[in-house]
Amino acid sequence: LKTAEEQQNSIIYYEDTYMQSTGVGYSNNGEKFNVIAILDGEVKEVIEDQLIGNSITIDHNGIKSVYQSLSEIDVKVGDQVKQGDIIGVSGTSNINSSLNNHLYFELILNNVNVNPEEYYEQEL
């Protein structure tokens, strides 16, 4: 069961609409930072979008990681990446403009979005 604060933090308000957040936003006090692949995998999708910011989806043998709000993308669909490879640079998005420069990150296991922070330091 989530606390009231956790529930509030999982809601995004954009243009008079409330949406469920399925990921986590990370920032470096407004400074840009390199974004790295969490595991070895194949780049499955690269999207340029003003609303969510530029986005990369990587498949790691059934586990998917999604990196949004990027200002730069350093990979293309079909690229094989290794854990720790730089895949882009943090940026902004219209949907989370209050976060300024940041990375919005999602982790998808068995086609279900999960809280990435529950999987840090764990084997996947």
Side-chain angles (χ1 to χ4, degrees):
L1 201 57
K2 293 190 180 285
T3 66
E5 183 180 357
E6 287 173 324
Q7 291 175 355
Q8 182 179 354
N9 290 339
S10 68
I11 301 294
I12 297 171
Y13 182 72
Y14 179 74
E15 291 188 351
D16 297 325
T17 303
Y18 291 94
M19 297 171 278
Q20 179 72 40
S21 172
T22 54
V24 179
Y26 299 97
S27 81
N28 184 25
N29 296 319
E31 298 294 321
K32 286 187 176 185
F33 56 92
N34 289 332
V35 174
I36 60 172
I38 62 162
L39 297 166
D40 296 357
E42 181 180 347
V43 177
K44 291 294 186 178
E45 189 173 55
V46 174
I47 299 172
E48 294 184 23
D49 185 294
Q50 288 185 333
L51 182 61
I52 62 171
N54 296 325
S55 173
I56 299 169
T57 301
I58 300 175
D59 187 317
H60 315 276
N61 293 323
I63 300 167
K64 292 182 182 170
S65 57
V66 181
Y67 311 80
Q68 294 178 351
S69 303
L70 303 175
S71 62
E72 297 175 30
I73 293 176
D74 297 330
V75 294
K76 62 186 182 311
V77 171
D79 282 355
Q80 297 293 321
V81 296
K82 296 286 185 194
Q83 183 179 34
D85 284 354
I86 296 172
I87 58 171
V89 176
S90 63
T92 59
S93 68
N94 289 337
I95 201 166
N96 273 331
S97 59
S98 64
L99 294 178
N100 296 315
N101 186 66
H102 70 288
L103 165 68
Y104 181 77
F105 177 73
E106 295 181 0
L107 186 64
I108 303 168
L109 302 174
N110 301 318
N111 294 317
V112 175
N113 283 76
V114 296
N115 180 350
E117 294 184 339
E118 293 178 5
Y119 292 86
Y120 292 166
E121 305 294 327
Q122 293 188 32
E123 291 278 328
L124 294 177

